[in-house]
Amino acid sequence: MDEQLIFYIDFVGFAEAIRSWDEEKMAALIELLSDLALIRGEFDFSEEAEDGGKRFNIRPAISTFSDHIVISYPTEYLRKMGGGDSLVNGLVFAQKLVSQLAAAAMRLGLLIRGGATVGPLYHSGGVVLGAAMVEAYHLESRVSIYPRIAVSRKLYSQVKINPRDLFLLEDDDGITHFNYFPSMILRSRETGEPITTWLANARRIIAENIENFERKEYWNELAKWVWFRNKLEQARLSLPDALFQ
């Protein structure tokens, strides 16, 4: 098995959605899951000369089943891309993909949670097998708790970039997790939606879910949305004010 950077992600609130959502919301959820199914594929890497240098094209291996998503990058190819920290190359690509997934889920009233690590992995033809998969699953199911992607020590100890919080955050409980929150906000520029409009809609969705779960006295769900709100607001404060004018 090759060493790979892996992200294992699923949706928070999926089971409740299946039980209680109406037909209109279920149709939107099915559409999202169908879109996820379309991005399944094998890892692909290519490089080409460009302006005296090289341009790299990389596509992770992606497998999906129901609301579970596995994304992986062989570290051998991340090293080929150069730079002082090869794993950061993978984190850059993953940040864009994960933030898109998180934004799409949030629009439906769902959050994401997961685990990320590096280690031996076989990921091809829809088959995912290896110690890295076991660890990523453990991080998602036993460690992450909140809508965060918990990162293993094996991974975060190898990431030397400064400032570190471009990709990694350490929470109050000591858990290191993947920072996808600023990218959620910034990706609105790619869709043509004004960043202030996107943020206003995100705040509305968050407030509606917090109010809903408080009314129902669903305290675990409430805590997750409050945590997510706080992280998104912290991400907003980390971005230049000029973007929101």
Side-chain angles (χ1 to χ4, degrees):
M1 294 183 187
D2 298 327
E3 182 184 74
Q4 300 201 40
L5 170 65
I6 177 176
F7 287 77
Y8 172 73
I9 299 169
D10 68 5
F11 294 132
V12 178
F14 187 78
E16 176 64 21
I18 297 299
R19 286 193 297 265
S20 64
W21 280 10
D22 60 26
E23 289 188 8
E24 182 178 354
K25 292 193 72 175
M26 281 301 299
L29 178 57
I30 291 169
E31 182 178 358
L32 173 59
L33 296 177
S34 297
D35 289 342
L36 287 176
L38 291 175
I39 67 172
R40 294 174 186 155
E42 301 294 309
F43 175 78
D44 187 61
F45 178 88
S46 64
E47 58 182 87
E48 52 191 81
E50 183 180 72
D51 297 330
K54 292 182 179 179
R55 181 163 68 91
F56 299 95
N57 301 301
I58 189 168
R59 184 193 188 285
I62 299 176
S63 296
T64 67
F65 174 73
S66 186
D67 66 322
H68 306 286
I69 305 102
V70 179
I71 303 165
S72 70
Y73 301 84
T75 57
E76 172 190 357
Y77 291 92
L78 298 179
R79 285 192 292 270
K80 287 183 178 181
M81 299 177 68
D85 191 338
S86 61
L87 287 174
V88 167
N89 293 325
L91 297 180
V92 169
F93 290 107
Q95 196 173 60
K96 180 177 180 180
L97 188 57
V98 170
S99 66
Q100 290 173 343
L101 178 62
M106 185 195 66
R107 283 195 297 270
L108 295 183
L110 299 172
L111 299 168
I112 67 167
R113 179 173 60 202
T117 190
V118 62
L121 186 75
Y122 177 87
H123 189 184
S124 181
V127 176
V128 187
L129 179 69
M133 178 66 222
V134 173
E135 185 173 22
Y137 173 76
H138 172 80
L139 289 165
E140 184 278 329
S141 60
R142 300 294 181 88
V143 179
S144 59
I145 302 173
Y146 296 105
R148 60 187 176 185
I149 298 174
V151 175
S152 73
R153 183 181 183 278
K154 192 180 304 178
L155 174 53
Y156 71 67
S157 64
Q158 297 185 59
V159 177
K160 308 300 183 183
I161 192 170
N162 188 30
R164 187 179 176 85
D165 62 5
L166 286 173
F167 298 103
L168 300 175
L169 300 171
E170 184 176 330
D171 232 333
D172 294 337
D173 58 2
I175 302 301
T176 297
H177 59 104
F178 188 54
N179 187 10
Y180 63 87
F181 308 99
S183 293
M184 282 187 70
I185 299 172
L186 293 173
R187 67 172 298 279
S188 64
R189 297 183 299 177
E190 299 177 10
T191 64
E193 183 179 16
I195 195 169
T196 51
T197 301
W198 185 93
L199 188 59
N201 286 334
R203 285 168 169 162
R204 174 185 54 79
I205 292 168
I206 292 168
E208 288 174 353
N209 278 277
I210 289 175
E211 180 182 359
N212 177 50
F213 289 127
E214 183 177 19
R215 184 176 64 253
K216 293 180 177 179
E217 299 185 3
Y218 288 2
W219 305 121
N220 287 337
E221 292 81 357
L222 171 70
K224 292 176 175 62
W225 278 94
V226 169
W227 185 96
F228 177 73
R229 177 195 64 191
N230 294 342
K231 294 302 178 187
L232 197 67
E233 293 299 335
Q234 289 171 17
R236 158 63 187 92
L237 293 174
S238 74
L239 297 171
D241 289 339
L243 290 173
F244 301 89
Q245 295 174 357

